[in-house]
Amino acid sequence: MSVRTLPLLFLNLGGEMLYILDQRLRAQNIPGDKAHKDEWTEVDRKRVLNDIISTMFNRKFMEELFKPQELYSKKALRTVYDRLAHASIMRLNQASMDKLYDLMTMAFKYQVLLCPRPKDVLLVTFNHLDTIKGFIQDSPTILHQVEETFRQLTETYGGLSAGEFQLIRQTLLSFFQDLHIRVSIFLKDRVQNSNGRFVLPVSGPVPWGTEVPGLIRMFNNKGKEVKKVEFKHGGHYVTAPKEGSFELCGDRVLKLGTNMYSINRPVETHMSGASKNLASRTQESIVPNPLAKEELNLLARLMGGMEIKKASGPEPGFRLNLFTTDEEEEQAALTRPEELSYEVINIQATQDQQRHKELARIMGEFEVTEQPRPSTSKGDDLLAMMDEL
């Protein structure tokens, strides 16, 4: 397992989350002069994206994220995204948050599977960050945070060997193993089968620096080529036109990681039969790793220490539904396997002054101090632990 995988996993999943939220906010957008109290406007959409991106790219948070460390468990990482998604005035109920996380994970899994070279996962990350920069063109302070993360990525991963990138890719695929959730976009584009498994293409450009398959060269013991044999590979491959740019600004060439929701179309998720059968194994895999507790504590503190509370009735603020109708959302909550659902998280939306003060605190310079904690057993529930923050 690579100890340099976490930043790539976090940034790419976060990018997919922002794509989905932006698409749903646009779909539910209502002109400001016609909007009612609980309806979204274009100003609200920009405010939500700015708040989440500002929290996601907080400088001290990024510094901790880029330290060499093991991946968190699925449940621990999911908890971080719960907090991140609720870093603004937006509220998601359990069913919508489950769907959001399903879409995020399956999209990035598809991108990792289709990367021509292991190193290209860095280009996928740059594609996500390029699009995120487009969300915040009117916010120079947040834009600077994202560009600083670009520089950290280049510094951290620019000198890695092909073998180290292969280990990173293997670590990512291990994280996504046994996740076979059907997504309507993938099914309609015929890149995913009805069992939730992806279809790998047998056409298109080959990895940069390699040749189109179809020729075997044989050499003697002196290294001289003595024979050529051609064979039919059964695909439709072409030579890569050029290598994608790893600079701050440039042509990435690779399209993986760009916003597939830019064309407005509904996206549904369905648990495949294989995923339902694997629920018992998944339950084991999402048990928090005790070794990640302190790291998660620090990440949660850096992301604002937002309160996790049980739903206790209607709350002020804006509610975002990732389903077409409320009925679909309720049905999804009833049919989802219990082992794959998580604690309901509702965030109390605050007034503008209080919220901006909180965001200013997150973005400002502050010291992270360890609070003395009583000794706890390794089996402590993760969500209960985060309630103490």
Side-chain angles (χ1 to χ4, degrees), residues 303-362:
M303 294 180 72
M306 288 171 281
E307 182 183 359
I308 297 179
K309 56 172 69 175
K310 297 281 186 179
S312 57
E315 297 181 31
F318 295 95
R319 173 177 171 269
L320 180 65
N321 184 357
L322 265 70
F323 295 82
T324 306
T325 64
D326 290 343
E327 290 74 16
E328 288 184 16
E329 187 177 47
E330 293 170 0
Q331 182 63 25
L334 293 174
T335 58
R336 185 175 179 86
E338 185 178 351
E339 294 86 354
L340 298 180
S341 295
Y342 299 83
E343 186 76 20
V344 178
I345 295 185
N346 287 318
I347 301 300
Q348 175 73 35
T350 58
Q351 296 180 358
D352 286 347
Q353 291 183 350
Q354 293 174 318
R355 184 171 53 80
H356 289 315
K357 182 178 179 181
E358 175 68 10
L359 289 173
R361 186 187 68 79
I362 295 171

Side-chain angles (χ1 to χ4, degrees), residues 54-311:
S54 174
T55 305
M56 178 176 171
F57 290 92
N58 172 263
R59 184 178 66 83
K60 284 187 175 287
F61 175 70
M62 285 292 116
E63 288 176 358
E64 292 300 323
L65 191 72
F66 274 83
K67 291 180 180 178
Q69 55 193 297
E70 297 289 341
L71 284 185
Y72 298 149
S73 69
K74 290 181 177 65
K75 187 172 183 179
L77 192 66
R78 160 63 192 263
T79 304
V80 174
Y81 284 108
D82 277 334
R83 291 182 178 274
L84 185 60
H86 294 92
S88 186
I89 58 175
M90 179 183 66
R91 291 185 291 122
L92 294 172
N93 70 10
Q94 182 177 2
S96 284
M97 190 66 215
D98 286 342
K99 178 176 179 179
L100 174 63
Y101 193 70
D102 287 345
L103 290 171
M104 291 160 50
T105 53
M106 292 305 290
F108 186 42
K109 177 181 180 179
Y110 176 71
Q111 293 156 13
V112 175
L113 282 171
L114 265 66
C115 275
R117 304 174 300 172
K119 183 179 181 180
D120 288 336
V121 71
L122 192 55
L123 290 178
V124 173
T125 309
F126 286 167
N127 275 336
H128 280 111
L129 267 61
D130 287 340
T131 308
I132 290 173
K133 287 169 61 179
F135 290 150
I136 51 170
Q137 286 297 330
D138 298 333
S139 305
T141 302
I142 309 176
L143 186 62
H144 175 75
Q145 292 177 252
V146 178
E147 291 178 345
E148 182 60 31
T149 301
F150 260 109
R151 284 185 278 271
Q152 286 180 284
L153 285 167
T154 302
E155 180 181 335
T156 302
Y157 297 97
L160 296 188
S161 66
E164 289 173 307
F165 274 111
Q166 173 59 22
L167 185 58
I168 289 174
R169 182 176 184 271
Q170 189 176 8
T171 305
L172 288 170
L173 291 176
S174 296
F175 180 85
F176 292 123
Q177 189 172 3
D178 295 335
L179 287 177
H180 307 296
I181 300 165
R182 292 176 295 169
V183 178
S184 62
I185 280 185
F186 295 139
L187 292 170
K188 290 174 183 176
D189 292 343
R190 298 187 177 181
V191 298
Q192 189 180 32
N193 291 324
S194 58
N195 62 2
R197 297 181 183 274
F198 289 114
V199 178
L200 299 183
V202 290
S203 62
V206 296
W208 172 254
T210 64
E211 299 179 6
V212 174
L215 181 65
I216 300 174
R217 294 185 176 92
M218 301 180 187
F219 299 83
N220 61 18
N221 57 1
K222 295 182 179 180
K224 183 178 180 180
E225 184 178 313
V226 295
K227 187 178 180 181
K228 292 182 179 180
V229 178
E230 294 185 355
F231 66 93
K232 293 183 178 180
H233 52 71
H236 303 281
Y237 297 105
V238 296
T239 304
K242 62 179 180 178
E243 185 178 23
S245 172
F246 290 89
E247 301 298 324
L248 178 62
C249 297
D251 183 5
R252 312 298 178 196
V253 179
L254 193 69
K255 299 304 179 185
L256 297 172
T258 55
N259 190 353
M260 67 178 179
Y261 306 100
S262 56
I263 300 175
N264 193 10
R265 49 182 173 173
V267 185
E268 302 298 334
T269 58
H270 306 279
M271 297 298 299
S272 69
S275 293
K276 291 179 180 178
N277 293 336
L278 288 167
S280 59
R281 267 191 285 169
T282 306
Q283 183 179 18
E284 180 180 354
S285 70
I286 62 177
V287 173
N289 176 4
L291 297 179
K293 278 188 174 183
E294 293 307 318
E295 289 89 340
L296 183 59
N297 279 340
L298 180 56
L299 291 178
R301 277 196 292 272
L302 291 175
M303 294 180 72
M306 288 171 281
E307 182 183 359
I308 297 179
K309 56 172 69 175
K310 297 281 186 179

Side-chain angles (χ1 to χ4, degrees), residues 28-44 318:
Q28 298 184 22
N29 184 36
I30 296 173
D33 57 344
K34 297 181 180 180
H36 298 292
K37 180 180 179 181
D38 294 327
E39 293 177 326
W40 290 99
T41 66
E42 178 64 13
V43 173
D44 293 323
F318 295 95

